[in-house]
Structure formats: C-alpha cells, structure tokens
Amino acid sequence: MAKVNISLDAELVVEVMVLAGVGSPQDAVEAVVRDYIARGHRTEARAGLTEQGLREVDIKPQEPQG
C-alpha cells in the first residue's frame, strides 16, 4: 500500500487523539479518514434509498381526484 506524508497542526492531531482515544498521531489521522469515508458511504446509501423510494411512488398509478 502506498503511503503519504503530510504536515498537520499538532494541536489538531492531539485533539483527534483525545477524542478518538488513540495513542498515536498516525492512528488518529487514519481514524478520521476512515470515519469520513464511512460517512460518505452511509450518505450515498441513504440518498440512493430515498431516490429509489421516490421512483416507486412515481410508478404507482394515482387515484382519481375530485
């Protein structure tokens, strides 16, 4: 797996370490990135279900009004 080196504000990393309950900066950053990706997948799944639900409603014939 390829590795990437970046510079981050130490205070940000320490805050993430405390919030995530991890002991190393590497683990803290990986936790944040993994959480971000998981949230994106959950959002995509919700949006897909919502769009599918709307399509199903549009397919059903409408009852006569009036």
Side-chain angles (χ1 to χ4, degrees), residues 47-63:
L49 291 175
T50 302
E51 290 175 11
Q52 182 64 30
L54 291 174
R55 285 189 203 113
E56 290 173 0
V57 168
D58 291 340
I59 293 171
K60 294 179 185 175
Q62 294 182 353
E63 294 183 19

Side-chain angles (χ1 to χ4, degrees), residues 3-66:
K3 300 286 182 177
V4 176
N5 292 318
I6 58 172
S7 297
L8 295 172
D9 182 353
E11 289 181 21
L12 292 175
V13 176
V14 169
E15 189 168 349
V16 171
M17 289 172 63
V18 170
L19 291 171
V22 297
S24 78
Q26 177 76 30
D27 291 344
V29 173
E30 285 184 10
V32 169
V33 172
R34 290 181 192 279
D35 182 61
Y36 183 81
I37 291 169
R39 285 183 187 199
H41 290 306
R42 288 192 303 268
T43 300
E44 288 173 356
R46 285 186 201 155
L49 291 175
T50 302
E51 290 175 11
Q52 182 64 30
L54 291 174
R55 285 189 203 113
E56 290 173 0
V57 168
D58 291 340
I59 293 171
K60 294 179 185 175
Q62 294 182 353
E63 294 183 19
Q65 296 178 0

